[in-house]
């Protein structure tokens, strides 16, 4: 009897030794956050690097683009009840990366202020998942019970050893089951993506505080001009309160498209200056009525496209979009996928806002962009390249020369198209006009 119990314990001990919890799902510690910011006369990309430990430093890269004036900005990290941390960053005349370091002393919702702009971000906590706890807890319990069973076995009480042996088997089964099932269990949503981030739900993201629908109603957009600044007021369509729950969507809180009366495009990324208030500088604005469209992603509300117009009483100057590229088109009838390819000649393009290229579509135009029924923001994805990072930043200039886009124009007619890429830290905007035939026009040919 003693020999049988000893053999059983040895086999189970070997099982515990080989069944290491290598498949346990580790808690997500977050990643780098890239955010486009039109801060005064500067077009910046702010990169908040992943926080490795808390308390600890937060490394912030500020990427300037061609035409951005030199100067000094102040980075300030602050949170409710926490001491603030500030750092100066000197922006040189040469575009590129400029670094600063601030410090955080706790996980939770934080805010990075860049002069008058504020960027909400989350410092995540390293929280083990329930199945990770079950895996490690099960193996620890099995190990303790194994020692108890061995003590009973060697002390001449093999019958009593069967009780901890059975418990050891059950604990090992729980641990192995949790380890094997962990990869197939969907990960918990990152803090701040579904629920408004608080210290409590960041410290325990696996605890559901409510089972209600977290969706949010559509947003109301009211634009106005203050000097050269275009100010956007965002309010909740249900309560009328300021909307302060925008998520970073394609590396920006707001993708603002402004089309002038003469058909020139500005692609801006307004900065948050107060809850529900964003602003962007219109440098050398053209006089007249400008059509605007703001693409946002609201927490629980999905992606929304808000449209409006604003009257600008500036000078009668025109800032043309004069980027150069060979544009090849394969335009099919309305409702079928068409292909537009911009060829820039050299393989030196940089990612911008996480994409190889952006294409803005407005049309069909009859009385101007303000009355155009279709507005679209189309992407050309970064192709996977051996030796390159999966999510390259603007320091990588190794893409192109062709930038393809696929889009199904829903209505026949004439469309205004702008293709945007980044080269040498300069945003190149290439305008084009596309005529989309209807199904009858194609069949008649």
């Amino acid at each position: 009897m003693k020999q049988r119990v000893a053999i059983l314990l040895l086999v189970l001990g070997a099982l515990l030794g080989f069944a290491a919890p290598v498949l346990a799902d580790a808690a997500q510690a977050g990643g780098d956050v890239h955010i486009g910011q039109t801060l005064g006369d500067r077009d910046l990309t702010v990169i908040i690097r992943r926080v490795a430990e808390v308390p600890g430093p937060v490394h912030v890269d500020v990427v300037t683009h061609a035409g951005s004036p030199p100067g000094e900005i102040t980075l300030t990290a602050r949170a409710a009840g926490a001491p603030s941390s500030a750092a100066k960053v000197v922006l040189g005349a040469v575009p590129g990366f400029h670094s600063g370091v601030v410090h955080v002393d706790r996980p939770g919702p934080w805010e990075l202020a860049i002069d008058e702009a504020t960027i909400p971000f989350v410092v995540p906590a390293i929280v083990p998942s329930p199945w990770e706890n079950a895996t490690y807890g099960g193996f620890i319990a099995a190990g303790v019970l194994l020692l108890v069973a061995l003590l009973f076995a060697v002390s001449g009480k093999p019958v009593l050893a069967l009780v901890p042996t059975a418990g050891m088997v059950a604990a090992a089964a729980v641990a192995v089951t949790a380890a094997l099932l962990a990869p197939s269990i969907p990960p918990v949503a990152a803090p701040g993506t579904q629920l408004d981030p608080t210290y409590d739900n960041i410290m325990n993201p696996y605890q559901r505080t409510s089972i209600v629908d977290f969706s949010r109603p559509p947003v109301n957009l009211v634009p106005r001009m203050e000097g050269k600044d275009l100010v956007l007021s965002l309010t909740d369509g249900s309560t009328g309160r300021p909307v302060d729950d925008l998520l970073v969507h394609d590396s920006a809180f707001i993708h603002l498209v402004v089309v002038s009366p003469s058909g020139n495009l500005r692609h801006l990324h307004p900065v948050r200056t107060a809850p529900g208030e964003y602003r962007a500088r219109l440098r050398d604005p053209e006089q007249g009525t400008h059509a605007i469209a703001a693409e946002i992603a609201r927490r629980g509300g999905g992606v929304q496209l808000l449209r409006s117009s604003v009257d600008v009483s500036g000078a009668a100057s025109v800032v043309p979009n004069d980027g150069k590229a060979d544009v090849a088109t394969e335009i099919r009838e309305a409702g079928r996928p068409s292909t537009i390819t911009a060829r820039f000649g050299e393989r030196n393009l940089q990612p911008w806002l996480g994409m190889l290229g952006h294409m803005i579509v407005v049309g069909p135009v009859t009385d101007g962009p303000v009355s155009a029924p279709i507005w679209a923001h189309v992407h050309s994805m970064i192709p996977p390249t051996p030796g390159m990072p999966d999510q390259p930043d603007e320091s990588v200039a190794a893409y192109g020369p062709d930038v393809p886009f696929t889009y199904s124009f829903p209505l026949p007619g004439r469309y205004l198209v702008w293709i945007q890429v980044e080269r040498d830290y300069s945003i190149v905007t290439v305008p084009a006009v596309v005529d989309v035939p209807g199904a009858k026009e194609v069949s008649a040919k």
Side-chain angles (χ1 to χ4, degrees):
M1 184 67 177
K2 292 182 179 180
Q3 292 179 343
R4 293 178 180 177
V5 172
I7 293 173
L8 176 61
L9 293 174
L10 289 174
V11 171
L12 290 173
L15 174 63
L16 293 175
F18 285 108
V22 296
L23 297 179
D25 186 23
Q28 299 295 321
D32 296 346
V33 180
H34 298 238
I35 306 174
Q37 296 278 275
T38 302
L39 180 60
D41 291 330
R42 297 186 175 101
D43 289 318
L44 309 174
T45 300
V46 178
I47 306 174
I48 303 175
R49 298 297 182 181
R50 182 180 67 87
V51 179
E53 58 182 357
V54 179
V58 180
H59 296 271
V60 180
D61 287 329
V62 179
V63 185
T64 58
H65 300 101
S68 180
E72 184 179 85
I73 60 175
T74 301
L75 307 178
T76 306
R78 56 199 184 203
S84 61
S85 171
K88 299 287 187 181
V89 177
V90 178
L91 306 180
V94 178
F97 282 68
H98 309 271
S99 299
V101 179
V102 294
H103 292 80
V104 295
D105 66 349
R106 69 194 68 180
W110 282 76
E111 186 177 81
L112 179 68
I114 308 177
D115 291 345
E116 71 269 21
T118 55
I119 301 174
F121 71 102
V122 171
V123 176
I126 307 300
V127 181
S129 64
W131 39 96
E132 189 176 9
N133 290 333
T135 301
Y136 286 103
F139 281 117
I140 291 172
V144 172
L145 291 171
L146 173 62
L147 294 177
V148 174
L150 286 173
L151 290 176
F152 279 123
V154 298
S155 64
K157 301 177 181 179
V159 176
L160 296 178
L162 293 176
V163 176
T165 299
M168 179 181 61
V169 173
V174 170
V176 172
T177 301
L180 293 176
L181 293 180
S184 62
I185 299 175
V188 68
T193 56
Q194 293 182 348
L195 296 172
D196 293 332
T198 65
Y199 178 81
D200 291 335
N201 63 35
I202 289 173
M203 293 302 297
N204 191 359
Y206 296 93
Q207 179 182 358
R208 301 297 292 186
T209 58
S210 175
I211 59 173
V212 300
D213 184 5
F214 295 109
S215 63
R216 307 287 171 87
V219 175
N220 295 323
L221 167 66
V222 178
R224 69 181 188 275
M225 293 296 300
E226 289 187 1
K228 291 185 178 181
D229 287 350
L230 175 56
V231 181
L232 307 179
S233 176
L234 304 181
T235 56
D236 186 277
S238 175
T239 65
R241 296 175 180 174
V243 169
D244 202 31
D245 56 5
L246 299 190
L247 300 174
V248 177
H249 167 62
D250 292 336
S251 300
F253 284 115
I254 299 179
H255 291 271
L256 180 66
V257 173
V258 182
V259 181
S260 72
S262 62
N264 288 292
L265 174 119
R266 298 174 193 259
H267 183 171
L268 307 173
H269 303 98
V271 299
R272 175 181 175 271
T273 53
E277 181 180 284
Y278 291 77
R279 65 174 59 215
R281 178 72 49 81
L282 293 183
R283 288 178 287 181
D284 300 321
E286 180 183 340
Q287 186 175 4
T289 301
H290 294 240
I292 65 175
E295 183 179 304
I296 65 170
R298 190 178 186 190
R299 184 179 296 115
V303 178
Q304 302 179 31
L305 182 65
L306 314 175
R307 292 183 52 186
S308 187
S309 63
V310 65
D311 292 327
V312 178
S313 58
S317 60
V318 176
V319 182
N321 303 139
D322 55 0
K324 304 297 182 184
D326 293 329
V327 179
T329 62
E330 183 182 342
I331 305 301
R332 298 183 177 180
E333 66 270 24
R336 296 190 61 192
S338 295
T339 301
I340 299 176
T341 302
R343 295 169 176 163
F344 290 90
E346 295 183 51
R347 192 178 177 85
N348 61 355
L349 302 182
Q350 300 161 265
W352 183 47
L353 303 174
M355 305 293 170
L356 174 58
H358 301 255
M359 183 173 72
I360 308 299
V361 178
V362 176
V365 289
T366 54
D367 299 327
V370 173
S371 60
I374 304 300
W375 286 62
H377 184 176
V378 188
H379 291 142
S380 181
M381 308 300 290
I382 298 175
T385 305
M388 294 292 179
D390 293 335
Q391 295 181 332
D393 58 28
E394 293 172 67
S395 64
V396 180
Y399 299 100
D402 293 350
V403 182
F405 300 87
T406 299
Y407 178 67
S408 297
F409 295 90
L411 298 173
R414 174 159 291 185
Y415 288 78
L416 303 180
V417 171
W418 298 267
I419 295 171
Q420 294 188 299
V421 299
E422 182 175 345
R423 170 191 280 163
D424 297 329
Y425 292 101
S426 178
I427 308 305
V428 180
T429 303
V430 179
V433 177
V434 175
D435 290 311
V436 178
K440 293 182 179 180
E441 298 176 50
V442 174
S443 60
K445 295 180 181 179

